[in-house]
Amino acid sequence: MKNDKFDIKSARIKAGFTQQEISKKLGMSRQTYQKYENGKISFRVDTAWKFAAICKISFDSIIFFKGKYTSSVV
């Protein structure tokens, strides 16, 4: 089975939504959504689940963060 992974922008595009459409479905402004897509802020888990459901893509198949992060767990 193929294990495709999508970043937020790719998931949105695959689902056929514009930034304006997806932001409306998520109940936020387009400018706020752009910050998520550009990695300036991160989705809360509940919003990430909603995003995955709207896009009809498995939550596990979407990468919700940019590569530069650190873990606070040692």
Side-chain angles (χ1 to χ4, degrees), residues 49-64:
W49 276 103
K50 186 175 180 180
F51 176 85
I54 291 167
C55 291
K56 295 184 172 78
I57 295 175
S58 159
F59 181 83
D60 294 341
S61 295
I62 303 173
I63 301 168
F64 288 100

Side-chain angles (χ1 to χ4, degrees), residues 19-33 36 43 47 50-51 54:
Q19 286 183 339
Q20 186 66 39
E21 292 167 332
I22 199 79
S23 64
K24 186 174 181 180
K25 289 179 179 292
L26 290 170
M28 63 182 67
S29 72
R30 184 181 56 79
Q31 292 81 7
T32 298
Y33 174 77
Y36 290 112
F43 279 127
T47 307
K50 186 175 180 180
F51 176 85
I54 291 167

